[in-house]
Amino acid sequence: MKTDILIIGCGCSGLYCALNLPKNKHITIITKSDAESNDSFLAQGGMCMLKSQSDYKSFFEDTLKAGHYENDKESVDIMINSSADVVKDLISFGADFQKDENGNLVFTREGAHSSNRIIFHEDITGKEITSTLLREIKKHDNINLIENTSMIDLMTKDNICYGAVLQMCDGKIEKVEADYTVLATGGIGGLYKHSTNFSHLTGDAIAVAIKHNIELKDISYVQIHPTTLYSNEERSFLISESVRGEGARLLDKNGNRFVNELLPRDLLTKAIFEQMKKDNTEFVWEDLRPIPKEHLISHFPNIIEHCKTMGYDVTKECIPVVPAQHYFMGGIKVNHQSKTSMQQLYAVGETACNGVHGKNRLASNSLLESLVFAKRAAIDIAKNNNPIKDNKFIDSINVNQYTDIENLLESYKKIVKDKIETSTKKENK
């Protein structure tokens, strides 16, 4: 198989990258599961946007403060100043964000934000954005989306990427030659017992990067979300930070408020764990009743409905919440154009690390960062369209070496877990 650009992953970053590539290029997108089973679909709260230049300094400072000032400042500047352009694109594709009676965007607030700067669609903003991008993708004949197809390995030689080895939906192993390859494989939640992520997202791109000596960055920076619904479900259901931004309170076992709910995620998570230990409980309580009922119903219908199916009426009672793994701030090291340390290989979205988030991600910067730097990758690919080719090398790769795929993918999980554990120990010394 041959394609001009191979994109591995179909979350919002992979899709948006494809839509910004030249229309005369053949683009192949693959996804490990179905097209809607990615974490972009799960994002609830919203997406940050620079609503006016008067908010720039505050937005910049909030992002750095949440990231413990370990952020790449140029990346943060690029993200903030590119936000309006991204929103304009999304609206042109048909994305529906909350507007007031005059047709102006409505902004909400989340933890660690000093002002309202988050656009949203009810409490399913990620689904609205990603489904809009999926619909747009289907309008383009030059883009082919293949579901239930996994990346097994990259084809590399002398620090140049020539494409990837894939396991197709029928189990067959195929070599896919590509002028440029974009890794957009999402997060690492499948490595954890409690996570808001889909379980099939296990950091395959990180494992392959380690195998091929591709540079990584901040690999130990794993974010825990403070509030997920306490249950026995396989995937932890996230109770959006927007809920606390709109007035929800966190309570101990005696019904007493014990923390400022708008602390940065890592600090709030620490406070919740400390309270659980003090109370000898496996969760704390979140009270959504301080939010006016009409606003609660209109802004958070998905959360209300899910809690109802789990036996809780949030308009009448508190819900049990517990922290769970949520986001990976580290990843494959990229520059401001999303280029990796390997030629002809890019990485975008949660897979990549350009330093925007620092040590802790500010709420609702994930969708924005993913989209901004996905577009920059596409622009850079189009600008530098002079790929190195090596057909003899590609022909020499024997796919029969990939015999036990199940064990190979399990070994990838161990590689990533070991790397994160080792890096964490070094950081804590």
Side-chain angles (χ1 to χ4, degrees):
M1 293 175 61
K2 291 185 178 182
T3 189
D4 293 320
I5 298 109
L6 173 64
I7 299 175
I8 302 169
C10 77
C12 68
S13 62
L15 297 174
Y16 193 55
C17 180
L19 290 170
N20 282 282
L21 286 165
K23 302 299 183 286
N24 64 341
K25 297 295 181 182
H26 184 264
I27 303 158
T28 301
I29 306 173
I30 68 159
T31 179
K32 198 174 184 182
S33 184
D34 62 88
E36 296 187 0
S37 293
N38 56 72
D39 284 352
S40 297
F41 260 85
L42 302 178
Q44 292 179 350
M47 187 178 80
C48 295
M49 175 185 172
L50 181 63
K51 54 186 179 181
S52 68
Q53 281 301 318
S54 63
D55 189 41
Y56 175 87
K57 287 185 179 179
S58 176
F59 191 170
F60 189 89
E61 174 61 20
D62 287 349
T63 300
L64 264 61
K65 185 177 180 180
H68 299 278
Y69 298 95
E70 293 190 21
N71 319 63
D72 181 292
K73 292 182 179 179
E74 186 173 349
S75 291
V76 177
D77 176 75
I78 289 168
M79 178 188 71
I80 293 173
N81 282 320
S82 302
S83 60
D85 178 57
V86 167
V87 173
K88 182 180 178 181
D89 282 350
L90 294 175
I91 291 174
S92 74
F93 294 148
D96 180 24
F97 299 111
Q98 184 71 32
K99 296 182 177 65
D100 62 20
E101 61 275 8
N102 297 317
N104 300 313
L105 289 169
V106 172
F107 297 90
T108 188
R109 182 185 177 194
E110 296 187 8
H113 285 271
S114 56
S115 69
N116 292 32
R117 62 169 70 94
I118 299 166
I119 61 173
F120 62 94
H121 175 92
E122 296 177 349
D123 54 351
I124 50 170
T125 307
K127 181 178 180 180
E128 175 64 18
I129 290 173
T130 315
S131 61
T132 297
L133 295 174
L134 267 176
R135 286 195 302 271
E136 188 66 23
I137 284 287
K138 293 174 182 177
K139 299 176 184 177
H140 296 262
D141 294 336
N142 66 312
I143 303 175
N144 183 28
L145 173 58
I146 308 173
E147 297 178 295
N148 302 302
T149 298
S150 299
M151 173 188 65
I152 302 303
D153 204 353
L154 291 176
M155 298 191 295
T156 74
K157 178 186 175 185
D158 299 330
N159 201 43
I160 302 169
C161 182
Y162 295 101
V165 179
L166 310 179
Q167 183 181 42
M168 312 306 288
C169 58
D170 60 1
K172 188 177 180 182
I173 306 300
E174 293 273 5
K175 292 182 288 186
V176 179
E177 179 185 351
D179 293 342
Y180 296 93
T181 302
V182 181
L183 298 172
T185 58
I188 56 173
L191 303 178
Y192 294 81
K193 181 179 180 181
H194 297 292
S195 174
T196 61
N197 298 183
F198 280 105
S199 60
H200 65 271
L201 301 178
T202 53
D204 295 347
I206 307 300
V208 171
I210 294 169
K211 177 180 178 180
H212 293 274
N213 298 312
I214 299 163
E215 287 186 45
L216 304 178
K217 179 177 171 60
D218 297 340
I219 200 73
S220 62
Y221 290 178
V222 179
Q223 186 176 71
I224 308 298
H225 196 285
T227 51
T228 69
L229 188 65
Y230 177 76
S231 72
N232 293 318
E233 293 182 294
E234 179 183 354
R235 180 171 59 79
S236 300
F237 182 81
L238 188 145
I239 305 299
S240 172
E241 198 144 3
S242 291
V243 172
R244 285 179 276 116
E246 295 294 335
R249 296 288 179 257
L250 291 173
L251 311 175
D252 63 16
K253 68 177 183 180
N254 298 313
N256 298 315
R257 186 183 180 200
F258 64 90
V259 71
N260 171 11
E261 293 81 4
L262 297 183
L263 286 173
R265 288 176 174 175
D266 56 340
L267 299 180
L268 184 57
T269 294
K270 181 181 178 182
I272 291 173
F273 278 134
E274 288 175 350
Q275 191 64 44
M276 287 164 54
K277 183 177 181 180
K278 180 180 178 181
D279 290 347
N280 193 28
T281 59
E282 294 184 346
F283 56 83
V284 296
W285 295 100
E286 185 163 14
D287 188 359
L288 279 63
R289 291 171 295 181
I291 304 172
K293 187 174 180 179
E294 184 177 320
H295 183 61
L296 180 63
I297 292 170
S298 64
H299 193 160
F300 306 108
N302 187 52
I303 291 174
I304 292 173
E305 183 59 32
H306 185 84
C307 289
K308 184 178 179 181
T309 64
M310 300 301 291
Y312 301 101
D313 183 346
V314 299
T315 66
K316 297 180 180 179
E317 60 187 332
C318 299
I319 57 173
V321 293
V322 64
Q325 189 279 333
H326 180 57
Y327 196 82
F328 187 37
M329 281 84 60
I332 298 172
K333 184 178 180 179
V334 295
N335 66 10
H336 298 125
Q337 285 71 45
S338 298
K339 293 175 70 172
T340 72
S341 62
M342 179 171 280
Q343 291 185 66
Q344 299 175 189
L345 180 68
Y346 292 72
V348 296
E350 198 171 349
T351 305
C353 181
N354 52 47
V356 157
H357 305 304
K359 196 171 185 178
N360 178 63
R361 178 172 66 81
L362 179 66
S364 287
N365 267 349
S366 56
L367 289 169
L368 177 60
E369 180 271 325
S370 293
L371 294 169
V372 165
F373 288 91
K375 185 169 186 175
R376 290 177 73 84
I379 292 170
D380 198 68
I381 290 170
K383 182 176 68 176
N384 300 305
N385 188 30
N386 187 27
I388 301 168
K389 298 177 182 289
D390 192 336
N391 293 329
K392 288 184 178 179
F393 165 67
I394 294 169
D395 291 341
S396 72
I397 297 174
N398 184 2
V399 297
N400 292 328
Q401 66 180 294
Y402 303 100
T403 52
D404 193 341
I405 302 301
E406 186 175 341
N407 278 339
L408 177 64
L409 295 180
E410 282 300 314
S411 73
Y412 282 172
K413 291 181 186 179
K414 187 177 186 306
I415 288 170
V416 179
K417 285 195 284 188
D418 288 349
K419 186 68 173 179
I420 292 173
E421 184 178 333
T422 302
S423 299
T424 302
K425 285 179 180 178
K426 284 183 181 179
E427 184 195 345
N428 293 335
K429 280 186 178 180

